[in-house]
């Protein structure tokens, strides 16, 4: 049995199975609670409010849908909460004009007479031109088929819902009377792993609600490549993947509609951002050639699609607009992020970087932009690593190693016994193992005698927690292959950055700002990342976190026509650097397979 | 059991029931055969060819689908054959440029490489721009969803079907390889009584095939008013009427497709012309307010409609484009006729007149145009008249009356014993009865003693054929109420013409040309029509017949973008004269209820 838990004032919701305690549920929602006793129910620090009563989150099991309020002093610490500045419309607009993509216009038409017997539709269009200066608005059969009765129902008072799509405007609804309802829009981030939706009030640009869940396509592969392969096996498979993401999206939309007493027709536009593969799958377009040299997307700049053509739970005559992609591995999510962070409108050079399974990055300023994607592999997401896991309760996220005896002190998400290591933890462990001399600069284990170091099947491993200390009765370890995997991942990302710098003949010092986007980014310890050579060794204050910039960019596109008009020019402005051929990437990659790097002069503060 | 009979070289097809003789079938197809023996099989004049053998049409019964060739010397006379100049593309173009609304373009794209890795769609659009100067072509999801495999199937050779719709162009199909098939279009005339379809080869503009049938909506009312009332009774009724006309249209299209080994996707555009009510019903738009004062159409200028939205048997992404209407009773059929006859491009003043249930007419030249519709009633179509019928075999279509003894000589369509009177016959009978003194100028029977005049239930009638002479064993008569009905009909049409002339302060002499359109027009005897005061008394050589100008205009719109671009300006240019209010119509009508008119000076050659 599954239940929905909504946390306030964060207004975040998660779905968990019966019996899950509220502390774990909060953790799943990205909210960490204080807990000195490790969930034993003795310290009393994880107090939350349920139906007006104060309860201990760690001792309260979910047995129905619940709304929980979390007091400030029960929260662990600010940096653990997913950074989310999206509620601030001004912040989202980032200097662009507030000019939403959908408007609802109240019109009062003059009544027809024998002398003024123009058709109902002409009468409406004329008034639209007169009163709102809207010319040549398109309209589809479905929206004028019933115009006669609608005009007469409230004595020629009507409300017209008008969508502005750059080169044309379209009437997507005509209602009798003067409606007071605002127009609504949906911002959608289609991630390989998660799907996030915001419901936006387009009269003021505010987020009315937000929901997220896992992308159920994951059952057919964790990364885009395995999904492309699955989709390519048959037309049915492709259709199945499309249906999964659309059904999930619809489920989230319907949930929000219900909560706010809205109907699907109230939503006239959805702006979606996703990587190129996700975008193809969402539309049901075969992603086959994305993974075959020379890596060609079927489509990058996407024409608006009618909601009815994708069966999205909104006004069937409304539109779904996808952020344009740049290339096979630099998608609409990156363009969306680049747009909302404004890296294309600054004199200073910015590095925008989104590290997930792939590391996608953009370098440049108002005059030029370079972009590339490097296959970082899933190790930063905790996959392909002996005890890797996502940043949830029980994940080791920081360590301190005593170089004398190799003893270790762990920081575990949720302050519970550890059950694995998350991405930021792995980066920290790698940095500390190197510092403590457990591994050398190539990632090879040094020949040390210590109770925490052992060799299993010929491979050395370092024990972070013995099974007696762990939360799952198993040793938590980092093996030599884990270390090698992590070094390959960090090497790929760093080599990507260096390749872009090479291409434009700049060096690290020329970078004024580094923007870290994506879920992983929020938990990243910059110092660790620099110490292992993942990120450039530049002043730490140049680093900024932006959260889910893909979703934020979709929000921006809904509330500023001017901003979204820049999306395609922005995508076209980005020079795509294909790392697999004809450039310095391979050399850079090989040089980066050291901790932090073969060339220590690149990492002066580490050296 | 029904069978299809196709007549060559006319290339006309009819569906008849088993046992019908070929002569009647030919008649139904608008082809009259010689027959001196009246179908007795003795004169041998109706010889036709069936499967290479010569047979007598009057003695050959239909027992299967047949193709019949009719030799020239078996044909009755040219004037009986439906005038149809539409095969001549030059004639249809009427001076407009040949520039079809659909093109199929063969493209050879450069193969993508790592250095040139633009998306499939961008590659195609770029080539389209380079090679054919087509910019900003729209494309719908359905047409790019499979673009990857299609481009690669024939090594980047593709054929793009492009529809040009004035303010935008759209790719409605992408095929692998270089197709040699021409693009096809459908011209559709949606008449209240009949539906006619032409299949056009858009590479050369020629009619590849033509088919027509009855509008099955007629089961819910013969005229537009009764159909409006029926449609207004419930949403289901409206839907039923829409389905009837769409199913009939699809049946005709499918028949032609099958015959020419084409598939629905080969047809990308259909241009349709119909009166305002037919246009509303075709789209499923309620025609309710058309018949309620102040007579407002829901829509006059119609946005293009996707074929899939109307479920027409053609490329589902293709378009259906309706000729714009002027007002509730002047529809797209009149605009289509006006466009193809070019009355808006001449210095001289033309009167365009389409007499059916309604008499619709347009008066004007390149500088101004006036239009009106008068409710002529169905008597010219033979309805509401004792022995009225359509112009088929057995219909009296001309008479001579001996003023001495009132004896009569009949010309009957098909030279068979008469079974009724068609519209042109009624006009002739009226003229001759007046001349012979059977009726006076008001239509009242004079008090004559004659075997052909009798009084039935207080009403006098003139017997055209006694039951012994008729083909159905019944007397064929014209009663005093028939005469009154006919006078009201002709009076309404003439009053309409006079009202328009009044409005622009011109007189009959200012009219340089009169164009008679519509099925009725082809059989009309101009002299008769003037003698009864239906048409103005001006030199007979000013009269011209144009046939089905609505269908011809639809054909024109398919083959000339320039022409169709004029349709909406032309509709807007027409000043609509509402005859029911505030003008001279009623006075004109009352004055016209005489034979030929109260004011004989208007009919000098008749007087």
């Amino acid at each position: 049995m599954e239940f929905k838990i909504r946390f306030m004032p964060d207004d975040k919701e998660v779905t968990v199975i019966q019996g899950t305690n509220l502390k774990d549920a909060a953790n799943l929602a990205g909210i960490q609670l204080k807990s000195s006793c490790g969930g034993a129910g003795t310290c009393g620090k994880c107090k939350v409010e349920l139906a007006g009563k104060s309860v201990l989150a760690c001792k309260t099991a979910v047995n129905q849908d619940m709304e929980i309020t979390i007091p400030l002093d029960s929260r662990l610490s600010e940096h653990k909460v997913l950074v989310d500045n999206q509620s601030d419309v001004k912040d989202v607009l980032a200097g662009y004009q507030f000019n939403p993509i959908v408007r609802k216009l109240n019109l009062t038409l003059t009544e027809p007479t024998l002398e003024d017997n123009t058709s109902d539709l002409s009468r409406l269009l004329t008034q639209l031109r007169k009163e709102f200066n809207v010319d040549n608005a398109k309209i589809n059969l479905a929206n004028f088929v019933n115009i006669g009765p609608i005009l007469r129902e409230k004595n020629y008072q009507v409300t017209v819902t008008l969508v502005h799509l750059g080169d044309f405007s379209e009437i997507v609804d005509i209602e009798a009377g003067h409606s007071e309802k605002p127009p609504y829009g949906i911002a959608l981030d289609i991630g390989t792993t998660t799907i996030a939706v915001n419901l936006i009030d387009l009269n003021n640009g505010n987020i009315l609600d937000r929901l997220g869940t896992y992308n159920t396509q994951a059952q057919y592969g964790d990364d885009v490549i395995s999904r492309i392969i699955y989709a390519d096996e048959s037309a049915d498979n492709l259709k199945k993947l499309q249906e999964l993401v659309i059904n999930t999206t619809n489920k989230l939309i319907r949930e929000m509609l219900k909560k706010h007493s809205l109907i699907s027709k109230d939503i006239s536009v959805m702006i979606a951002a996703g990587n190129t593969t996700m975008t193809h799958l969402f539309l049901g377009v075969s992603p086959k050639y994305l993974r075959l040299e020379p890596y060609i997307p079927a489509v990058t700049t996407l024409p608006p699609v009618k909601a009815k053509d994708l069966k999205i739970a909104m006004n069937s005559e409304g539109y779904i607009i996808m952020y344009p992609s740049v290339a096979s591995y630099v998608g609409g999510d990156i363009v969306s992020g680049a747009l909302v962070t404004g890296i294309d409108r600054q004199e200073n050079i910015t590095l925008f970087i989104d590290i997930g399974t792939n590391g996608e990055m953009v370098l440049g300023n108002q005059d030029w932009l370079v972009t590339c994607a490097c296959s970082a592999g899933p190790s930063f997401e905790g996959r392909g690593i002996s005890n890797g896991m996502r940043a949830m309760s029980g994940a080791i996220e920081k360590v301190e190693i005593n170089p004398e005896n190799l003893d270790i002190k762990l920081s575990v998400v949720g302050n519970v016994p550890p059950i694995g290591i998350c991405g930021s933890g792995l980066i920290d462990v790698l940095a500390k193992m190197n510092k403590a001399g457990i591994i050398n600069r190539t990632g090879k284990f040094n020949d040390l005698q210590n109770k925490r170091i052992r060799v299993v099947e010929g491979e050395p491993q370092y024990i972070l927690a013995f099974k007696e200390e762990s939360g799952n009765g198993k040793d938590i370890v980092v093996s030599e292959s884990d270390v090698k995997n992590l070094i390959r991942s960090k090497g790929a990302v760093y080599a990507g950055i260096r390749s872009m710098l090479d291409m434009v003949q700049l060096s690290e010092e020329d970078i004024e700002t580094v923007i870290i986007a994506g879920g992983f980014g929020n938990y990243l310890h910059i110092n660790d990342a620099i110490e292992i050579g993942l990120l450039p060794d530049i002043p730490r204050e140049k680093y900024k976190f932006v959260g889910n910039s893909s979703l934020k960019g979709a929000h921006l596109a809904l509330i500023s026509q001017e901003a979204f008009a820049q999306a395609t020019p922005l995508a076209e402005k980005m020079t795509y650097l294909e790392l697999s051929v004809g450039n310095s990437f391979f050399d850079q990659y090989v040089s980066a397979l050291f901790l932090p790097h073969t060339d220590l002069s690149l990492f002066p503060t580490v050296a």
Side-chain angles (χ1 to χ4, degrees), chain A:
Chain A
M1 198 86 196
E2 291 195 338
F3 295 107
K4 284 172 206 148
I5 312 299
R6 182 168 286 264
F7 294 98
M8 305 303 288
D10 308 65
D11 203 16
K12 284 181 180 166
E13 191 178 284
V14 290
T15 302
V16 295
I17 57 167
Q18 186 162 28
T20 306
N21 73 52
L22 287 179
K23 191 155 159 292
D24 287 348
N27 194 35
L28 194 65
I31 305 167
Q32 268 85 45
L33 300 179
K34 284 182 185 162
S35 172
S36 304
C37 66
T42 53
C43 73
K45 292 194 170 167
C46 65
K47 281 198 190 100
V48 296
E49 278 175 39
L50 165 61
K53 284 190 202 159
S54 179
V55 299
L56 289 181
C58 69
K59 286 289 159 198
T60 308
V62 166
N63 57 8
Q64 58 180 339
D65 290 350
M66 294 173 171
E67 184 170 309
I68 304 295
T69 303
I70 304 177
L72 195 61
D73 59 7
S74 293
R75 290 167 190 268
L76 187 56
S77 64
E78 196 51 25
H79 86 275
K80 295 273 171 50
V81 178
L82 191 74
V83 176
D84 201 339
N85 298 319
Q86 294 189 44
S87 308
D88 184 354
V89 175
K90 229 182 201 162
D91 172 60
V92 173
L93 279 171
Y96 282 110
Q97 202 187 326
F98 180 73
N99 186 10
I101 197 162
V102 188
R103 289 192 291 166
K104 287 185 90 158
L105 306 175
N106 291 345
L107 295 176
T108 302
L109 313 182
T110 53
E111 258 187 68
T113 61
L114 282 165
E115 288 69 40
D116 174 17
N117 61 354
T118 178
S119 75
D120 291 333
L121 182 57
S122 300
R123 183 171 303 274
L124 185 139
L125 294 176
T126 302
Q127 190 68 18
L128 204 54
R129 184 167 42 239
K130 260 200 222 162
E131 214 169 316
F132 294 99
N133 211 17
V134 172
D135 222 346
N136 285 322
K138 281 182 53 180
I139 183 164
N140 249 19
L141 178 59
N143 285 115
F144 69 76
V145 76
N146 210 22
I147 193 172
I150 290 172
L151 256 53
R152 287 157 185 86
E153 188 181 328
K154 301 270 185 184
N155 203 24
Y156 297 92
Q157 291 200 334
V158 289
T159 303
V160 167
T161 304
L162 195 67
V163 171
H164 297 280
L165 294 179
D167 48 351
F168 70 96
S169 298
E170 183 171 327
I171 294 170
V172 297
D173 196 22
I174 306 176
E175 297 163 84
H178 285 171
S179 164
E180 295 302 321
K181 256 191 196 176
Y184 296 97
I186 293 281
L188 172 69
D189 168 47
I190 317 167
T192 310
T193 308
T194 56
I195 292 176
V197 176
N198 281 353
L199 172 65
I200 314 288
D201 176 333
L202 296 180
N203 267 357
N204 54 32
N206 287 333
I207 298 176
L208 202 66
D209 209 341
R210 64 190 93 202
L211 276 180
T213 189
Y214 289 104
N215 185 341
T216 48
Q217 285 179 343
Q219 58 191 293
Y220 298 104
D222 273 339
D223 52 38
V224 296
I225 296 298
S226 40
R227 294 205 204 149
I228 294 173
I229 292 169
Y230 179 77
D232 190 27
E233 279 167 11
S234 74
D236 273 358
N237 283 7
L238 172 59
K239 206 178 157 202
K240 199 184 289 174
L241 290 182
Q242 184 189 20
E243 279 172 3
L244 284 170
V245 61
I246 289 197
N247 291 346
T248 302
T249 305
N250 279 342
K251 209 176 139 191
L252 295 177
I253 294 176
R254 289 206 183 93
E255 209 172 312
M256 293 194 296
L257 289 176
K258 198 177 159 192
K259 188 181 156 212
H260 296 274
S261 304
L262 298 175
I263 55 169
S264 353
K265 206 162 70 85
D266 291 327
I267 297 175
S268 297
V269 166
M270 175 162 92
I271 310 256
N275 64 47
T276 312
T277 304
M278 287 305 111
T279 301
H280 278 59
L281 293 178
F282 190 77
L283 297 177
V285 175
S286 165
K288 177 175 179 179
Y289 301 100
L290 293 178
R291 76 175 188 96
L292 302 179
E293 203 182 310
Y295 318 111
I296 306 299
V299 60
T300 41
T301 294
L302 295 114
V305 175
K306 279 266 173 188
K308 62 182 171 188
D309 290 341
L310 286 179
K311 301 196 178 68
I312 297 291
M314 49 185 278
N315 177 355
S316 59
E317 291 295 321
Y319 278 100
I320 290 143
I321 298 150
M322 315 288 296
Y323 256 95
S325 301
V326 176
S328 280
Y329 296 107
V330 176
D333 50 349
I334 301 305
V335 177
S336 178
L339 187 77
V340 76
T341 53
I343 61 176
D344 59 324
R345 289 177 292 148
Q346 282 159 20
E347 252 183 87
N348 290 333
I349 292 165
T350 304
L351 171 65
F352 172 89
I353 181 161
D354 190 339
I355 309 171
T357 308
N358 274 355
E360 292 129 340
M361 45 198 102
V362 186
L363 178 72
N365 63 9
Q366 61 195 20
D367 301 319
W368 56 270
L369 292 165
V370 189
T371 184
C372 73
C374 56
S375 184
S379 54
F380 291 136
E381 291 175 327
R383 283 177 292 126
I385 299 289
S386 307
N387 295 106
M389 69 178 287
R390 298 183 66 78
M392 292 163 63
S393 184
I396 297 168
E397 56 116 27
K398 207 154 176 57
V399 300
E400 278 173 43
I401 300 177
N402 182 334
E404 303 296 317
N405 56 13
L406 308 191
D407 266 4
I408 190 162
K409 213 176 131 187
L410 307 175
S411 295
V412 179
V413 176
N415 275 351
V416 295
I419 55 172
I421 324 167
C422 67
S424 57
L426 285 165
I427 289 169
D428 192 44
V429 166
L430 197 61
K432 302 295 166 59
M433 283 171 74
N434 183 32
K435 259 189 185 161
I438 298 170
I439 52 175
N440 69 17
R441 284 182 55 215
T442 69
K444 217 173 138 39
F445 271 60
N446 288 319
D447 200 9
L448 298 179
Q449 297 302 319
N450 186 284
K451 62 170 178 174
R452 289 194 174 264
I453 294 181
R454 66 175 177 211
V455 177
V456 175
E457 291 176 8
E459 187 187 28
Q461 52 182 221
Y462 175 61
I463 302 166
L464 305 184
F466 291 102
K467 57 176 179 269
E468 298 76 27
E469 309 159 332
S470 79
N472 56 6
K474 291 175 187 165
D475 293 340
I476 312 291
V477 305
V478 172
S479 71
E480 196 172 74
S481 8
D482 292 342
V483 170
K484 294 285 170 96
N485 273 339
L486 287 165
I487 290 179
R488 279 195 286 272
S489 291
K490 76 95 190 170
V493 172
Y494 186 72
I497 298 170
R498 290 290 300 172
S499 299
M500 290 198 301
L501 287 168
D502 269 9
M503 187 188 177
V504 293
Q505 294 180 303
L506 292 177
S507 67
E508 270 93 341
E509 297 96 69
D510 298 309
I511 302 172
E512 282 297 323
T513 310
V514 181
I515 298 175
I516 309 284
F520 171 83
N522 295 304
Y523 296 93
L524 189 65
H525 307 293
I526 294 298
N527 228 42
D528 291 343
I530 293 172
E531 275 187 19
I532 68 163
L534 166 66
L535 293 176
D537 188 1
I538 58 175
R540 303 339 184 222
E541 63 272 18
K542 290 190 172 182
Y543 283 89
K544 283 182 191 166
F545 294 106
V546 73
N548 188 341
S549 59
S550 167
L551 185 61
K552 200 170 170 180
H555 181 178
L556 170 61
L558 283 169
I559 62 174
S560 176
Q561 295 178 43
E562 288 67 25
F564 193 60
Q566 291 310 310
T568 295
L570 173 56
E572 286 168 355
K573 186 177 166 186
M574 292 190 198
T575 304
Y576 177 65
L577 182 60
E578 174 56 59
L579 296 181
S580 65
V581 280
N583 54 57
S584 64
F585 180 76
F586 189 71
D587 291 344
Q588 292 288 359
Y589 176 62
V590 171
S591 309
L593 293 178
F594 272 64
L595 292 173
H597 198 272
T598 43
D599 181 359
L600 283 176
S601 73
L602 289 169
F603 288 84
T605 74
V606 181

